Every structure is written in structure tokens, then in C-alpha cells.
Amino acid sequence: MSVPEIDSQLQEEVSQLDTKRKVLEQIAEIARAIEHMQDGLNSVLILGVSSNDLPREALELYKSLSGSMQNLPVTKIKEYLKNLQTLINSQLQKILQYSGLDFETDEAVEIICMSGDSEASDINPLDLLKDFKRASQTAVSLRVLLKKRGVNTEGTVVSVPQEAIKEQLSHLEQQEQQQRVKIKDKIIEMKEDIAGMLANPSYPDGMKAILTGVQANLDNDLQQIEAGRRLDSLSFIAETQELSEVPQEQEVGEVAQEAQPEEQDGKAGFVDTANRWLNTPWSVSWQDLKNETDS
């Protein structure tokens, strides 16, 4: 097989891997949105009980409260808590609309992932879910802080009955499990694709070194999924994380850099592009980098 034919095959296979990576990214984005809703709504339930009945989860949330917040005077803590409670109530109905979606449908995916892209939309659902989670968890932490200062507080009155919130949480649990199965299946599919690429004798050594690191990440991600860990622990999740930041891949990246000059010119150029693609945020596509290289 000639060098141009090899390059064409490699580019096609990496492009297919890129497409699957984008699918995996969107599934994970939906699953994280579900996690944000679960965290936020669970915190709303905690807000509904008196400070004398705060569960262990409230104490865990308190640990994440910054030192500057912990040192605030009681009057300021009460003011912040009141403002957060108002914010939570104003957001709750919209959150419950999102939590009631069937995330197996394209419509739900579009609402959560794409609504914020519209110029006519003033709400980015993913940002709203993160803000709601942050606000509700901070409110819980402030109530714990007040209790530690000897100030007891009654449960927050929210605009939705607790039973309705619990029902939505049950629905979200089912939705989360469905998304986790899809993530697991897609990871396994990508692992199989990479195994086939590694077995191809035409692949340059530098490219194989890079793919070996990606395969190691996917192996770890699969273990995390099977253990029921939170999705933000997965290597491909973080919006700004680059694959080269993962410890087990740093050495592999160095090997790849050393191997590149030994490749034929055509292969070296392809490996360089592939290396940059595999070490860019998930929002950057293979075609984007290829177009940049060709221009």
C-alpha cells in the first residue's frame, strides 16, 4: 500500500473516531445535566427541613464552603441565604420542566444542549442547571454555618411540594442510568476501534503511542462508569481538559514526540495533526485541525 493510500486510510479512521467522540461528548453532556438536576433538587429537599434535622449530606456540602464565607457575620449570612432562597424559588419551575424531559428523545437533547445556541434565547439550559445546583448547595451550606453559630432556621418554603420533587428525582435516576449505559457502550465501541487501529501494521509508531494513551484513558473511564462514579471523574468530560494532562498519557506523549521525526514525511505530517487533535479540547474536531493544517 502506497504512502498516500495509507494516509487516506488513517485519516478516514481517525475521522470516524472523531465522529464517535462527538456522540460520546453529547451523551455525557446530557448525563451531567441530569447529575446537576439531581444535586440541585436533592439540596432543595434538604432546605425543606429544619436545621435540627439536617442530614449528613448537608455537613458534607458545608465542607466545600470557602473560608471567606465561613467568616461572614451572622447578619450577612442571613442576607445571602435569603437572596439564594429567592433565586432558587424563581428557578425551580424551569428546572422541573427540564427534569421531566425524556432524554432518550432528540427533542430533549436539543432543548438542553442547543437552546442556548439560539440568538433568540436568553437562557442557556446547561448554565442554568449549574447555577441552580450551585445556589441550592450554597444555601444548604449557609444553613449549616448558621447552625454552627447557634442560629437555628426553619425549613425553606419552596413553590413545589416535596413529593413532586421526589417524583422528579426518581424519574431522573432512571434517565441517568440510561445515559450511563449509552456512555459505556460508546466507550467499548471506541476501544474496539482503537484496538483495530493499533493492530494495523501501516500505522506509524508515533500514532500508535498516542492511541495507546487514549486507550488507557478509555479503560479507566470504563472502570469509573462500572463503579458508578460521578461523570466528572471521567477523562473525556472536563470542558477544558486536554488528554495530555492525564498522568498515564504524559509519558506516552513524550514517546510520540520522539517517534515523529523517524516517520516518513507524509506520515509525520499526519501524526502531528493527529497528536494535536488528541490533545485539544473536545469541542475541536479532527476536520477543524486538518483544514487548519491544509490552509
Side-chain angles (χ1 to χ4, degrees):
M1 185 181 293
S2 66
V3 171
E5 290 175 331
I6 293 172
D7 281 352
S8 177
Q9 178 188 358
L10 297 182
Q11 291 181 30
E12 180 180 353
E13 291 181 351
V14 171
S15 180
Q16 291 173 352
L17 191 63
D18 181 38
T19 298
K20 291 181 180 181
R21 187 177 76 162
K22 288 182 181 300
V23 173
L24 178 58
E25 179 189 21
Q26 186 173 77
I27 298 171
E29 196 167 50
I30 289 294
R32 279 195 301 163
I34 292 172
E35 281 189 343
H36 289 325
M37 285 185 278
Q38 289 172 310
D39 291 340
L41 291 176
N42 273 316
S43 293
V44 171
L45 289 180
I46 295 175
L47 287 173
V49 303
S50 70
S51 57
N52 290 327
D53 298 320
L54 288 173
R56 182 182 299 273
E57 293 93 318
L59 300 178
E60 291 300 318
L61 290 175
Y62 169 76
K63 293 177 181 178
S64 64
L65 201 62
S66 67
S68 59
M69 292 289 286
Q70 292 183 24
N71 293 324
L72 288 173
V74 169
T75 53
K76 184 61 69 173
I77 297 171
K78 288 183 175 180
E79 179 185 338
Y80 282 157
L81 178 58
K82 181 179 179 181
N83 291 339
L84 286 173
Q85 289 170 334
T86 300
L87 175 64
I88 291 165
N89 266 310
S90 70
Q91 294 177 335
L92 189 54
Q93 289 294 341
K94 177 60 70 173
I95 300 301
L96 291 176
Q97 288 180 24
Y98 291 148
S99 68
L101 294 172
D102 179 1
F103 293 100
E104 291 294 292
T105 66
D106 293 338
E107 179 184 8
V109 174
E110 183 173 357
I111 289 173
I112 293 296
C113 295
M114 304 177 188
S115 295
D117 295 335
S118 170
E119 294 182 359
S121 173
D122 59 352
I123 297 178
N124 184 311
L126 292 172
D127 288 343
L128 176 62
L129 295 177
K130 293 176 186 176
D131 290 344
F132 179 76
K133 169 187 173 180
R134 188 181 303 114
S136 57
Q137 291 187 338
T138 302
V140 170
S141 299
L142 291 179
R143 290 193 62 204
V144 175
L145 179 57
L146 285 173
K147 183 178 180 180
K148 287 180 175 293
R149 299 282 188 86
V151 180
N152 290 326
T153 53
E154 296 298 320
T156 302
V157 177
V158 295
S159 56
V160 177
Q162 285 206 352
E163 287 305 315
I165 296 175
K166 291 177 181 179
E167 183 177 335
Q168 290 296 77
L169 282 168
S170 178
H171 170 72
L172 286 172
E173 175 65 23
Q174 297 175 2
Q175 296 285 309
E176 181 196 1
Q177 293 307 315
Q178 290 172 352
Q179 298 303 314
R180 282 179 173 270
V181 170
K182 291 168 69 174
I183 291 173
K184 179 180 177 180
D185 290 345
K186 187 58 63 176
I187 289 176
I188 292 174
E189 183 179 341
M190 290 179 68
K191 277 171 46 64
E192 291 173 349
D193 289 348
I194 292 175
M197 296 162 78
L198 289 172
N200 189 333
S202 300
Y203 262 66
D205 291 340
M207 186 64 184
K208 286 187 176 182
I210 297 167
L211 290 172
T212 299
V214 176
Q215 187 80 301
N217 281 341
L218 292 174
D219 285 337
N220 182 67
D221 290 339
L222 190 58
Q223 293 175 12
Q224 299 291 319
I225 284 287
E226 291 176 339
R229 300 284 177 79
R230 290 184 62 86
L231 293 175
D232 53 17
S233 68
L234 303 182
S235 67
F236 64 87
I237 283 295
E239 295 170 344
T240 59
Q241 178 178 333
E242 297 183 0
L243 291 173
S244 60
E245 294 175 351
V246 181
Q248 69 251 32
E249 194 165 337
Q250 289 176 349
E251 295 181 3
V252 172
E254 293 172 3
V255 172
Q257 292 289 343
E258 294 174 0
Q260 287 178 35
E262 300 177 3
E263 307 294 344
Q264 299 178 37
D265 291 342
K267 290 184 181 179
F270 175 81
V271 171
D272 179 64
T273 303
N275 190 13
R276 286 195 297 133
W277 170 66
L278 290 168
N279 288 281
T280 56
W282 287 87
S283 58
V284 179
S285 71
W286 164 257
Q287 192 60 43
D288 290 337
L289 283 182
K290 187 174 182 299
N291 291 340
E292 179 182 321
T293 301
D294 294 341
S295 61

PDB file of all heavy atoms in Angstrom, residues 6 9-11 13-14 196-198 200-208 211 263 267 270:
ATOM      1  N   ILE A   6      -2.107   4.892   2.491  1.00  0.00           N
ATOM      2  CA  ILE A   6      -2.044   4.700   3.943  1.00  0.00           C
ATOM      3  C   ILE A   6      -2.579   5.941   4.650  1.00  0.00           C
ATOM      4  O   ILE A   6      -3.394   5.860   5.575  1.00  0.00           O
ATOM      5  CB  ILE A   6      -0.593   4.407   4.391  1.00  0.00           C
ATOM      6  CG1 ILE A   6      -0.143   3.049   3.858  1.00  0.00           C
ATOM      7  CG2 ILE A   6      -0.493   4.440   5.915  1.00  0.00           C
ATOM      8  CD1 ILE A   6       1.322   2.763   4.095  1.00  0.00           C
ATOM      9  N   GLN A   9      -6.318   6.148   4.437  1.00  0.00           N
ATOM     10  CA  GLN A   9      -6.968   5.202   5.349  1.00  0.00           C
ATOM     11  C   GLN A   9      -6.906   5.711   6.788  1.00  0.00           C
ATOM     12  O   GLN A   9      -7.904   5.660   7.512  1.00  0.00           O
ATOM     13  CB  GLN A   9      -6.291   3.834   5.247  1.00  0.00           C
ATOM     14  CG  GLN A   9      -6.882   2.797   6.210  1.00  0.00           C
ATOM     15  CD  GLN A   9      -6.080   1.500   6.230  1.00  0.00           C
ATOM     16  OE1 GLN A   9      -5.110   1.361   5.506  1.00  0.00           O
ATOM     17  NE2 GLN A   9      -6.497   0.573   7.076  1.00  0.00           N
ATOM     18  N   LEU A  10      -5.743   6.198   7.195  1.00  0.00           N
ATOM     19  CA  LEU A  10      -5.592   6.695   8.565  1.00  0.00           C
ATOM     20  C   LEU A  10      -6.513   7.877   8.820  1.00  0.00           C
ATOM     21  O   LEU A  10      -7.160   7.968   9.868  1.00  0.00           O
ATOM     22  CB  LEU A  10      -4.144   7.110   8.817  1.00  0.00           C
ATOM     23  CG  LEU A  10      -3.069   6.013   8.744  1.00  0.00           C
ATOM     24  CD1 LEU A  10      -1.702   6.605   9.065  1.00  0.00           C
ATOM     25  CD2 LEU A  10      -3.381   4.864   9.673  1.00  0.00           C
ATOM     26  N   GLN A  11      -6.575   8.795   7.871  1.00  0.00           N
ATOM     27  CA  GLN A  11      -7.416   9.961   8.044  1.00  0.00           C
ATOM     28  C   GLN A  11      -8.888   9.572   8.147  1.00  0.00           C
ATOM     29  O   GLN A  11      -9.634  10.140   8.947  1.00  0.00           O
ATOM     30  CB  GLN A  11      -7.201  10.937   6.882  1.00  0.00           C
ATOM     31  CG  GLN A  11      -5.831  11.591   6.904  1.00  0.00           C
ATOM     32  CD  GLN A  11      -5.644  12.575   5.764  1.00  0.00           C
ATOM     33  OE1 GLN A  11      -6.600  13.184   5.312  1.00  0.00           O
ATOM     34  NE2 GLN A  11      -4.407  12.723   5.308  1.00  0.00           N
ATOM     35  N   GLU A  13     -10.105   6.699   9.255  1.00  0.00           N
ATOM     36  CA  GLU A  13     -10.356   6.022  10.525  1.00  0.00           C
ATOM     37  C   GLU A  13     -10.347   7.004  11.697  1.00  0.00           C
ATOM     38  O   GLU A  13     -11.168   6.894  12.614  1.00  0.00           O
ATOM     39  CB  GLU A  13      -9.314   4.914  10.733  1.00  0.00           C
ATOM     40  CG  GLU A  13      -9.498   3.742   9.764  1.00  0.00           C
ATOM     41  CD  GLU A  13      -8.477   2.638   9.987  1.00  0.00           C
ATOM     42  OE1 GLU A  13      -7.529   2.849  10.762  1.00  0.00           O
ATOM     43  OE2 GLU A  13      -8.633   1.572   9.360  1.00  0.00           O
ATOM     44  N   VAL A  14      -9.428   7.975  11.676  1.00  0.00           N
ATOM     45  CA  VAL A  14      -9.396   8.966  12.749  1.00  0.00           C
ATOM     46  C   VAL A  14     -10.631   9.857  12.674  1.00  0.00           C
ATOM     47  O   VAL A  14     -11.199  10.240  13.702  1.00  0.00           O
ATOM     48  CB  VAL A  14      -8.108   9.815  12.674  1.00  0.00           C
ATOM     49  CG1 VAL A  14      -8.181  10.989  13.647  1.00  0.00           C
ATOM     50  CG2 VAL A  14      -6.894   8.959  13.005  1.00  0.00           C
ATOM     51  N   GLY A 196      -8.341  -2.068  16.797  1.00  0.00           N
ATOM     52  CA  GLY A 196      -8.138  -2.400  15.391  1.00  0.00           C
ATOM     53  C   GLY A 196      -7.098  -1.509  14.737  1.00  0.00           C
ATOM     54  O   GLY A 196      -6.281  -1.965  13.923  1.00  0.00           O
ATOM     55  N   MET A 197      -7.092  -0.235  15.112  1.00  0.00           N
ATOM     56  CA  MET A 197      -6.112   0.704  14.562  1.00  0.00           C
ATOM     57  C   MET A 197      -4.705   0.355  15.045  1.00  0.00           C
ATOM     58  O   MET A 197      -3.733   0.429  14.290  1.00  0.00           O
ATOM     59  CB  MET A 197      -6.489   2.129  14.965  1.00  0.00           C
ATOM     60  CG  MET A 197      -7.821   2.586  14.368  1.00  0.00           C
ATOM     61  SD  MET A 197      -8.560   4.021  15.204  1.00  0.00           S
ATOM     62  CE  MET A 197      -7.562   5.353  14.528  1.00  0.00           C
ATOM     63  N   LEU A 198      -4.595  -0.039  16.317  1.00  0.00           N
ATOM     64  CA  LEU A 198      -3.284  -0.411  16.856  1.00  0.00           C
ATOM     65  C   LEU A 198      -2.744  -1.684  16.205  1.00  0.00           C
ATOM     66  O   LEU A 198      -1.525  -1.880  16.110  1.00  0.00           O
ATOM     67  CB  LEU A 198      -3.386  -0.605  18.373  1.00  0.00           C
ATOM     68  CG  LEU A 198      -3.592   0.667  19.208  1.00  0.00           C
ATOM     69  CD1 LEU A 198      -3.866   0.312  20.666  1.00  0.00           C
ATOM     70  CD2 LEU A 198      -2.373   1.574  19.101  1.00  0.00           C
ATOM     71  N   ASN A 200      -3.090  -2.460  13.145  1.00  0.00           N
ATOM     72  CA  ASN A 200      -2.781  -2.194  11.740  1.00  0.00           C
ATOM     73  C   ASN A 200      -1.290  -1.924  11.585  1.00  0.00           C
ATOM     74  O   ASN A 200      -0.773  -0.945  12.120  1.00  0.00           O
ATOM     75  CB  ASN A 200      -3.584  -0.982  11.258  1.00  0.00           C
ATOM     76  CG  ASN A 200      -3.484  -0.767   9.760  1.00  0.00           C
ATOM     77  OD1 ASN A 200      -2.499  -1.157   9.129  1.00  0.00           O
ATOM     78  ND2 ASN A 200      -4.501  -0.137   9.195  1.00  0.00           N
ATOM     79  N   PRO A 201      -0.557  -2.776  10.854  1.00  0.00           N
ATOM     80  CA  PRO A 201       0.899  -2.586  10.718  1.00  0.00           C
ATOM     81  C   PRO A 201       1.265  -1.315   9.962  1.00  0.00           C
ATOM     82  O   PRO A 201       2.417  -0.870  10.021  1.00  0.00           O
ATOM     83  CB  PRO A 201       1.338  -3.840   9.950  1.00  0.00           C
ATOM     84  CG  PRO A 201       0.110  -4.302   9.224  1.00  0.00           C
ATOM     85  CD  PRO A 201      -1.038  -3.968  10.127  1.00  0.00           C
ATOM     86  N   SER A 202       0.323  -0.716   9.254  1.00  0.00           N
ATOM     87  CA  SER A 202       0.607   0.500   8.486  1.00  0.00           C
ATOM     88  C   SER A 202       0.636   1.744   9.357  1.00  0.00           C
ATOM     89  O   SER A 202       1.114   2.791   8.928  1.00  0.00           O
ATOM     90  CB  SER A 202      -0.458   0.693   7.382  1.00  0.00           C
ATOM     91  OG  SER A 202      -0.467  -0.398   6.492  1.00  0.00           O
ATOM     92  N   TYR A 203       0.118   1.649  10.589  1.00  0.00           N
ATOM     93  CA  TYR A 203       0.084   2.822  11.453  1.00  0.00           C
ATOM     94  C   TYR A 203       1.490   3.164  11.920  1.00  0.00           C
ATOM     95  O   TYR A 203       2.240   2.292  12.373  1.00  0.00           O
ATOM     96  CB  TYR A 203      -0.801   2.544  12.675  1.00  0.00           C
ATOM     97  CG  TYR A 203      -2.198   3.076  12.542  1.00  0.00           C
ATOM     98  CD1 TYR A 203      -3.057   2.550  11.595  1.00  0.00           C
ATOM     99  CD2 TYR A 203      -2.651   4.111  13.347  1.00  0.00           C
ATOM    100  CE1 TYR A 203      -4.349   3.038  11.456  1.00  0.00           C
ATOM    101  CE2 TYR A 203      -3.939   4.608  13.219  1.00  0.00           C
ATOM    102  CZ  TYR A 203      -4.776   4.064  12.267  1.00  0.00           C
ATOM    103  OH  TYR A 203      -6.042   4.556  12.123  1.00  0.00           O
ATOM    104  N   PRO A 204       1.889   4.436  11.846  1.00  0.00           N
ATOM    105  CA  PRO A 204       3.217   4.847  12.338  1.00  0.00           C
ATOM    106  C   PRO A 204       3.318   4.690  13.859  1.00  0.00           C
ATOM    107  O   PRO A 204       2.317   4.769  14.566  1.00  0.00           O
ATOM    108  CB  PRO A 204       3.304   6.325  11.935  1.00  0.00           C
ATOM    109  CG  PRO A 204       1.887   6.764  11.767  1.00  0.00           C
ATOM    110  CD  PRO A 204       1.131   5.562  11.284  1.00  0.00           C
ATOM    111  N   ASP A 205       4.524   4.485  14.338  1.00  0.00           N
ATOM    112  CA  ASP A 205       4.737   4.237  15.765  1.00  0.00           C
ATOM    113  C   ASP A 205       4.265   5.409  16.625  1.00  0.00           C
ATOM    114  O   ASP A 205       3.728   5.218  17.716  1.00  0.00           O
ATOM    115  CB  ASP A 205       6.227   3.956  16.041  1.00  0.00           C
ATOM    116  CG  ASP A 205       6.677   2.621  15.465  1.00  0.00           C
ATOM    117  OD1 ASP A 205       5.800   1.776  15.204  1.00  0.00           O
ATOM    118  OD2 ASP A 205       7.890   2.449  15.283  1.00  0.00           O
ATOM    119  N   GLY A 206       4.502   6.629  16.162  1.00  0.00           N
ATOM    120  CA  GLY A 206       4.073   7.787  16.930  1.00  0.00           C
ATOM    121  C   GLY A 206       2.577   7.820  17.139  1.00  0.00           C
ATOM    122  O   GLY A 206       2.085   8.124  18.225  1.00  0.00           O
ATOM    123  N   MET A 207       1.831   7.494  16.098  1.00  0.00           N
ATOM    124  CA  MET A 207       0.376   7.473  16.182  1.00  0.00           C
ATOM    125  C   MET A 207      -0.080   6.371  17.127  1.00  0.00           C
ATOM    126  O   MET A 207      -1.013   6.547  17.916  1.00  0.00           O
ATOM    127  CB  MET A 207      -0.225   7.265  14.789  1.00  0.00           C
ATOM    128  CG  MET A 207      -1.726   7.371  14.742  1.00  0.00           C
ATOM    129  SD  MET A 207      -2.285   9.033  15.163  1.00  0.00           S
ATOM    130  CE  MET A 207      -4.053   8.798  15.143  1.00  0.00           C
ATOM    131  N   LYS A 208       0.578   5.230  17.063  1.00  0.00           N
ATOM    132  CA  LYS A 208       0.218   4.124  17.953  1.00  0.00           C
ATOM    133  C   LYS A 208       0.466   4.490  19.416  1.00  0.00           C
ATOM    134  O   LYS A 208      -0.292   4.096  20.297  1.00  0.00           O
ATOM    135  CB  LYS A 208       1.000   2.860  17.576  1.00  0.00           C
ATOM    136  CG  LYS A 208       0.508   2.184  16.296  1.00  0.00           C
ATOM    137  CD  LYS A 208       1.212   0.857  16.060  1.00  0.00           C
ATOM    138  CE  LYS A 208       0.635   0.145  14.838  1.00  0.00           C
ATOM    139  NZ  LYS A 208       1.264  -1.172  14.596  1.00  0.00           N
ATOM    140  N   LEU A 211      -2.454   6.661  20.455  1.00  0.00           N
ATOM    141  CA  LEU A 211      -3.669   5.870  20.597  1.00  0.00           C
ATOM    142  C   LEU A 211      -3.613   4.960  21.816  1.00  0.00           C
ATOM    143  O   LEU A 211      -4.638   4.688  22.450  1.00  0.00           O
ATOM    144  CB  LEU A 211      -3.914   5.041  19.330  1.00  0.00           C
ATOM    145  CG  LEU A 211      -4.331   5.836  18.088  1.00  0.00           C
ATOM    146  CD1 LEU A 211      -4.347   4.931  16.865  1.00  0.00           C
ATOM    147  CD2 LEU A 211      -5.701   6.471  18.292  1.00  0.00           C
ATOM    148  N   GLU A 263       9.414   9.080  11.186  1.00  0.00           N
ATOM    149  CA  GLU A 263       8.417   8.662  10.220  1.00  0.00           C
ATOM    150  C   GLU A 263       8.714   9.271   8.860  1.00  0.00           C
ATOM    151  O   GLU A 263       9.415  10.271   8.719  1.00  0.00           O
ATOM    152  CB  GLU A 263       7.019   9.094  10.683  1.00  0.00           C
ATOM    153  CG  GLU A 263       6.657   8.651  12.089  1.00  0.00           C
ATOM    154  CD  GLU A 263       6.531   7.152  12.222  1.00  0.00           C
ATOM    155  OE1 GLU A 263       6.420   6.474  11.189  1.00  0.00           O
ATOM    156  OE2 GLU A 263       6.572   6.658  13.360  1.00  0.00           O
ATOM    157  N   LYS A 267       3.630  10.528   6.713  1.00  0.00           N
ATOM    158  CA  LYS A 267       3.127  10.001   7.974  1.00  0.00           C
ATOM    159  C   LYS A 267       3.385  10.978   9.117  1.00  0.00           C
ATOM    160  O   LYS A 267       2.558  11.156   9.996  1.00  0.00           O
ATOM    161  CB  LYS A 267       3.790   8.656   8.283  1.00  0.00           C
ATOM    162  CG  LYS A 267       3.352   7.524   7.370  1.00  0.00           C
ATOM    163  CD  LYS A 267       3.987   6.229   7.811  1.00  0.00           C
ATOM    164  CE  LYS A 267       3.581   5.065   6.904  1.00  0.00           C
ATOM    165  NZ  LYS A 267       4.213   3.804   7.312  1.00  0.00           N
ATOM    166  N   PHE A 270       0.818  13.668   9.207  1.00  0.00           N
ATOM    167  CA  PHE A 270      -0.462  13.160   9.689  1.00  0.00           C
ATOM    168  C   PHE A 270      -0.423  12.949  11.199  1.00  0.00           C
ATOM    169  O   PHE A 270      -1.354  13.314  11.926  1.00  0.00           O
ATOM    170  CB  PHE A 270      -0.800  11.840   8.986  1.00  0.00           C
ATOM    171  CG  PHE A 270      -2.039  11.194   9.523  1.00  0.00           C
ATOM    172  CD1 PHE A 270      -3.282  11.613   9.101  1.00  0.00           C
ATOM    173  CD2 PHE A 270      -1.965  10.189  10.469  1.00  0.00           C
ATOM    174  CE1 PHE A 270      -4.436  11.038   9.605  1.00  0.00           C
ATOM    175  CE2 PHE A 270      -3.104   9.612  10.980  1.00  0.00           C
ATOM    176  CZ  PHE A 270      -4.340  10.030  10.537  1.00  0.00           C
TER     177      PHE A 270
END
